[in-house]
Amino acid sequence: MTVVDWEETEVPKLKEQLTTKILAEMEKQGLSQGEVGRLIGMDRKNVNKTLRGTERGVSINQLVRIANGIGLKVDMIIKRKK
């Protein structure tokens, strides 16, 4: 599990890390973008744009939706500053 320190990590970096994990899992399972789209009810083109980061306003929520759809669980830890 990756623990995120919001002080040190920017949202684009989080999206990049999540996308990397998703792509690795898709490869491991032999899933195409079209198959992922069918699993989550998203058009293949939108899956592609989301994973390439070219879809304007891609949210972490969209990436989590894809991750969940291929069997990944995304956890977030919130803790008090030291």
Side-chain angles (χ1 to χ4, degrees), residues 33-47 50 62 65-66 68-70:
Q33 292 177 351
E35 291 168 324
V36 171
R38 283 189 289 283
L39 287 170
I40 64 169
M42 183 185 281
D43 183 84
R44 182 203 60 80
K45 290 180 184 178
N46 288 335
V47 172
T50 300
Q62 290 168 297
R65 179 178 170 200
I66 293 172
N68 290 334
I70 64 171

Side-chain angles (χ1 to χ4, degrees), residues 23-73:
L23 292 171
E25 185 64 21
M26 286 173 60
E27 184 175 331
K28 180 179 176 181
Q29 294 184 34
L31 293 171
S32 69
Q33 292 177 351
E35 291 168 324
V36 171
R38 283 189 289 283
L39 287 170
I40 64 169
M42 183 185 281
D43 183 84
R44 182 203 60 80
K45 290 180 184 178
N46 288 335
V47 172
N48 178 275
K49 289 177 182 179
T50 300
L51 294 176
R52 286 192 3 232
T54 58
E55 183 70 17
R56 185 180 180 137
V58 169
S59 69
I60 290 176
N61 185 50
Q62 290 168 297
L63 291 169
V64 170
R65 179 178 170 200
I66 293 172
N68 290 334
I70 64 171
L72 296 176
K73 181 180 178 197

